[in-house]
Amino acid sequence: MSAIAGFVGNADQAVLDSMLAAVDYRGDKSDTASVPGAGIGYRMWSGRPGKSQGVHRNGGVLAAVSGSLVPPVKSPAEELAAVLVDPARLATLDGNFAAALWDGDRRRLTLVRDPFGVRSLYYTEHAGVFYFASELKQLLAIPVLPVELDHVAVHKYLTFSFVPGEDVPIRGIKRLLPGRVAVWENGTLTVTPYFTLRERIDPALEDRKTAVKLVRGLCRKSVAKRLNGEPEVGLFLSGGLDSSGVAVWLKQAGVNVRAFSLDFGKQGVEKDQAKTVAETLGIPLTYVPVGGEDVGRVLTDLVWKLDLPFGDPVTGPQYLLARAARQAGLSAVFNGEGGDQLFGGWTSKPMISAQLYAGLYGEDSREQLYLRSYHRFYGLEDRLYTPDFLARIGSPGQRRALLAPYLSGEQANTFLNRVRLADVSLKGSQNILPRMDRTSQCWGLDVRTPLFDRALAEASFTLPPRMKLHGACEKYVLKLALQKFLPREIVWRRKYGMSVPITDWALGPLAGTLEDLLGPAALARRGLFRPEYLSQLRQGQDVPGEIRRRRVGERLWALAMLEAWLRVFVDGKGRRPGGVA
């Protein structure tokens, strides 16, 4: 719910105002500070606890922090200089933040991003000036900055349903990855990690009671240290294990909680479970009805606020859920994201089965198997891409290279924890958390993710694999930690996930929108995709062998979000779309 921007070099000071104005929804006031050769700007909401209330100035030092540290401090920007020079502080640095510090004496800019990537930080060099900002659209507000599509980044998006790695779909602009510190000095950028997850299995945690005690205690602490004196907080409650666990720990912390849950009508799968959890814990619950028409009405604004293309159909419902929480008068809300990534969620069983039987059937590499788990367009490039697009995507292996450090690297020895590393570093830090931040921050809502906690994550990689995936039981230790506090049918039922009825929407109330975005005229103008496969999808048919009907809607939505993003950020250069409320 705040943003930073800045530059190093000979730039017009007015560029700070332009970059902050591009994200006016991230606060009700702005502050800028300039010194010869550098400037930093900060947009924020007034009076929020644990947030800096302006750019910090101390002689030749300027500092700004978008977000907050965990545990909270009064002014993160004032703390920043001390944190960056203290190895002990960096070893425990946690929170949701993107930060910048200019040291005028050393002529050095330092950028830092939180361990798991809740807040984003982009940068570019143009005409001899180094620029940085919280959102892509802020950099596109720089006068005469060229806006050219990066086809390789689009190719990666179509596999993952988000854009992984440092690159974004605009050439020349990159982002700082989570858990990194970047230093710009003498015209050179140096990036180093301050946070890396590593497997360090503790044999003592083979004992079930010991493991449960550790996880239960760290989860309680993680929730408690993200409270900042608010009289009341919200909770996005799906009825699944993770958000239900956060509900338990919030109640144990003694805070007043109001829960919000999505309601897809007859197509919803966890509405009754959310009600059961709320009634068990005595938490007021508000259902937020969402249909395809509702998503269609906000699509353009959603795309603009998301800033990057995100192809998961949950983004529209999340945007509307956050709006409801803000309209209810809340400024802070918790959610349960992170349980799958840390404790052996839904990708574990299919990946391990594939690993076990890969040799028997001569199957693909583990990187290829993981890429197929996204169920978008990996392996369908010849069917989807035009010859011109195929010619622009470069050499093969770029997508597998993103996975190799996790699935085949030295950070973990057990296969399960290698999968978990990939899930945390890609699905979590580059997809789930940034899209969650964008869909909530745009309403002035501070969203908190206690399961993406540094100490908890590090501890999860000390657990023996069987404490995560116990036979066919996923998140075993987390279920044991919660079984005393929640009904058995909540803790031990199989996972459903948030089942957005996107195929019904795409073939029904969103069909007109998809005609505009993916019809023959639109495809011919853009020149990226073959019309034959798109026509097949829009008729509700997928490739032979695909038996899950929801894949049709998921693939259509991913393509529609990309085209809508291209219209706003490439054709429109990131400006606020006309007619957006």
Side-chain angles (χ1 to χ4, degrees), residues 61 67 86 95 165 204 259 267 289 304 318 354 356 468 483 521 527 550:
V61 172
D86 185 350
Q267 297 161 312
W304 187 59
Q318 283 180 331
L356 288 172
K468 299 177 181 180
Q483 64 178 350
R550 66 187 178 97

Side-chain angles (χ1 to χ4, degrees), residues 7-338:
F7 66 88
V8 176
N10 185 23
D12 185 345
Q13 307 296 311
V15 74
L16 289 176
D17 295 326
S18 298
M19 287 196 284
L20 295 179
V23 288
D24 56 0
Y25 52 82
R26 279 188 173 258
D28 57 7
K29 68 175 184 177
S30 294
D31 186 24
T32 60
S34 299
V35 295
I40 291 180
Y42 175 46
R43 186 162 189 89
M44 76 223 84
W45 289 98
S46 305
R48 297 284 178 92
K51 317 290 182 183
S52 302
Q53 288 304 302
V55 177
H56 176 66
R57 301 158 172 86
N58 183 15
V61 172
L62 305 176
V65 178
S66 169
S68 55
L69 305 183
V70 171
V73 298
K74 183 177 181 181
S75 174
E78 192 172 347
E79 293 278 322
L80 184 61
V83 169
L84 291 175
V85 298
D86 185 350
R89 296 285 296 277
L90 278 175
T92 59
L93 182 61
D94 200 5
N96 56 317
F97 57 84
L101 184 143
W102 169 251
D103 185 332
D105 293 335
R106 296 184 177 183
R107 311 295 298 172
R108 174 191 293 174
L109 173 71
T110 302
L111 304 175
V112 59
R113 191 174 172 201
D114 64 71
F116 295 102
V118 178
R119 297 294 173 94
S120 296
L121 199 51
Y122 301 88
Y123 59 88
T124 191
E125 186 181 4
H126 176 64
V129 180
F130 182 84
Y131 298 92
F132 64 89
S134 293
E135 292 201 22
L136 176 62
K137 63 177 69 71
Q138 293 176 270
L139 294 182
L140 299 186
I142 300 168
V144 302
L145 185 77
V147 179
E148 181 183 350
L149 183 64
D150 186 329
H151 289 79
V152 175
V154 171
H155 172 54
K156 292 174 182 176
Y157 164 82
L158 291 166
T159 292
F160 291 90
S161 82
F162 59 91
V163 184
E166 295 178 321
D167 294 332
V168 301
I170 303 295
R171 291 187 184 276
I173 296 178
K174 294 186 179 295
R175 64 188 155 178
L176 187 64
L177 290 178
R180 269 43 169 205
V181 175
V183 175
W184 175 260
E185 189 173 20
N186 297 322
T188 301
L189 186 71
T190 303
V191 180
T192 55
Y194 70 87
F195 169 71
T196 303
L197 282 171
R198 293 186 182 277
E199 179 186 79
R200 295 183 175 90
I201 294 177
D202 182 353
L205 297 176
E206 292 281 359
D207 178 70
R208 191 171 71 176
K209 290 184 178 179
T210 303
V212 168
K213 182 179 180 181
L214 173 71
V215 169
R216 186 181 289 157
L218 285 172
C219 287
R220 286 173 174 168
K221 289 179 182 178
S222 178
V223 168
K225 65 188 178 184
R226 282 167 171 78
L227 293 169
N228 207 1
E230 297 90 355
E232 185 176 52
V233 298
L235 170 66
F236 292 154
L237 180 64
S238 70
L241 180 71
D242 303 334
S243 61
S244 299
V246 174
V248 168
W249 301 314
L250 283 169
K251 291 294 290 185
Q252 290 177 349
V255 66
N256 292 326
V257 186
R258 295 174 64 187
F260 296 81
S261 185
L262 288 166
D263 181 2
F264 298 131
K266 294 180 180 179
Q267 297 161 312
V269 297
E270 292 188 307
K271 181 177 177 180
D272 291 341
Q273 286 75 19
K275 181 180 179 182
T276 296
V277 172
E279 290 178 346
T280 299
L281 300 176
I283 296 174
L285 174 63
T286 298
Y287 288 113
V288 180
V290 175
E293 300 91 340
D294 303 306
V295 173
R297 281 191 288 269
V298 301
L299 179 62
T300 303
D301 193 43
L302 170 66
V303 169
W304 187 59
K305 298 286 179 57
L306 280 172
D307 207 46
L308 285 179
F310 288 93
D312 193 314
V314 75
T315 52
Q318 283 180 331
Y319 173 95
L320 296 169
L321 187 68
R323 183 180 69 178
R326 183 69 173 135
Q327 289 175 342
L330 295 169
S331 61
V333 65
F334 284 70
N335 72 13
E337 302 284 15

